[in-house]
Amino acid sequence: MKKIFIFIVLLAVVCLSGCTEIREAKVLLPHSWVGMKKVSSHLYVENNMSKENVKKIEKAIPKAKSYVADIYGDVTTQPIIYACQSELCAQSFGLEGKIKGVRLLGYLILTNRGLDKHIISHEWSHEELYERIGGFYHWYREIPLWFDEGLASVTMHQYSRYDERAWKSIITRKLPYPKKEELVTLSQWTKANHKYLVNDEIAVPYAVARHIVSKWYKKRGQKGLVELLDGLKKGKHFDDLYMDKK
């Protein structure tokens, strides 16, 4: 009885609130309460999602997982995916504007523009990193946003808005771009996405973050990444672990 009461209160809060973070927390409610249907133990889709889109995302998930494994060496997480087809569904979970997907509390929430291996692998990378370092405390205390977003963008493999094609475009066109020091905190990252060019062709902050992390990853590889994440979980500091080894 107590659990039912808590669910009812939470449902009222998320439905009435305009706060994006609270609306995203709707994933904690029973899926049938928020207009989703179960496809498998780790995939829920909007009730009226077409068979074509269901097949599309079912095909994309294992490919996205393989992308995560390519970067991390293996995959230790299995997030639950909530996939929307309509804008109304996406907005009900707080996904508005150009957002294609988010990671929250072991869930990946996707819009109809995020039903592909690239977006899923990006959000899955956030989940993998978060779990490997031991959760929120270590993430909040040690992880700069440029590393988290840069690594997630590397995990996507070839994705023109974020990859080296975007970076070369920034340099060739002499576009203004943020320094690493401008992309450390969540508030800085949010500010950078408003200050620097982000459109359908290029997302400057992501391209910069990917460029930085890509250079580091080419030197350190899977082994270096795993060592860094393990070190963070043990309480070591990011700056010490990230330093290039001679």
Side-chain angles (χ1 to χ4, degrees), residues 37 45-46 91 141 144 167 202 229:
K37 65 180 179 181
V45 301
E46 186 177 356
Q91 289 171 4
R141 190 185 69 161
W167 173 250
I202 187 171
L229 300 180

Side-chain angles (χ1 to χ4, degrees), residues 2-13:
K2 184 178 179 181
K3 289 182 178 180
I4 295 176
F5 175 75
I6 292 173
F7 275 135
I8 292 173
V9 171
L10 180 57
L11 180 63
V13 170

Side-chain angles (χ1 to χ4, degrees), residues 6 19 23-24 26 68 73 96 103 118 131 170-171 197:
I6 292 173
C19 177
R23 280 184 285 158
E24 289 174 0
K26 285 174 65 176
V68 177
E96 299 176 337
R103 172 219 160 264
H118 300 291
E131 291 300 318
I170 291 171
I171 301 304
L197 180 62

Side-chain angles (χ1 to χ4, degrees), residues 138-160:
H138 295 294
W139 178 85
Y140 181 79
R141 190 185 69 161
E142 291 292 340
I143 296 291
L145 260 292
W146 59 260
F147 184 80
D148 191 2
E149 293 293 352
L151 184 62
S153 299
V154 169
T155 304
M156 301 169 84
H157 287 208
Q158 299 302 310
Y159 190 71
S160 61

Side-chain angles (χ1 to χ4, degrees), residues 207-227:
V208 171
R210 175 180 170 126
H211 179 69
I212 295 169
V213 176
S214 179
K215 289 196 299 182
W216 177 86
Y217 187 84
K218 285 178 181 178
K219 294 179 181 178
R220 301 285 292 276
Q222 290 177 357
K223 184 174 183 293
L225 176 61
V226 171
E227 287 176 351

